[in-house]
Amino acid sequence: MSDEKITVKSVSEVKRQSADLSRDLLQIIDLEGDLKPPGTVVGVCGDRDADKFYRINNFWSLAGPPAGDLRDAMDRLVAEMPHAGWDITEHGRENTEAKARYLKANSKRGKFSVYIALLEPSPNSQLRRPLLSASLTSACYQAPEGEKTGY
């Protein structure tokens, strides 16, 4: 087990931060479409006790706008996320057959990382329409004394 210091924070507070960060990203994307609501789940932190230690995973996607509009949204994310408190650590195309555009970033306002990918239909995919897919993940936290993580 690691000796790193883990911050004590309530699960509800980290979930709220996750929702706020997702909302901010959606404002940058600035498109109307079919938003699959966030799937916010409590995850484990390696081999630590799941009743005390947790991370928040928040998954959502946006479909409906044309591929060109979603490509423009990816360009906006790359251009505007640094001004909105994010450090973009990587962006480009995935090393897969689909070569999807993606970005990875870390929040300066909290201990969160995000992976956003632009997925477009191709002859070999089952995807019917283009979409932006986001995975927002917190660092590991410790629940306050007496609070269960809910995992």
Side-chain angles (χ1 to χ4, degrees), residues 1-82:
M1 200 177 295
S2 170
D3 290 335
E4 79 177 273
K5 179 115 169 94
I6 303 289
T7 302
V8 175
K9 197 176 269 195
S10 74
V11 173
S12 61
E13 183 179 349
V14 179
K15 282 183 176 181
R16 181 191 51 73
Q17 284 181 300
S18 176
D20 290 347
L21 289 169
S22 287
R23 185 190 65 245
D24 293 348
L25 291 169
L26 285 165
Q27 286 179 337
I28 293 171
I29 291 168
D30 192 27
L31 291 173
E32 294 293 321
D34 301 327
L35 180 64
K36 286 209 175 178
T40 304
V41 295
V42 176
V44 297
C45 289
D47 61 355
R48 290 186 168 89
D49 181 349
D51 287 332
K52 294 180 184 176
F53 298 95
Y54 69 96
R55 74 176 70 239
I56 297 298
N57 300 301
N58 187 338
F59 308 103
W60 50 268
S61 64
L62 177 72
D69 291 352
L70 291 172
R71 287 184 209 112
D72 291 345
M74 281 295 286
D75 293 341
R76 272 194 304 282
L77 286 165
V78 170
E80 295 179 25
M81 283 177 70

Side-chain angles (χ1 to χ4, degrees), residues 123-142:
N124 298 328
S125 78
Q126 295 181 350
L127 193 63
R128 297 192 190 283
R129 58 186 183 159
L131 65 86
L132 284 176
S133 173
S135 301
L136 182 69
T137 303
S138 76
C140 286
Y141 287 99
Q142 181 176 347

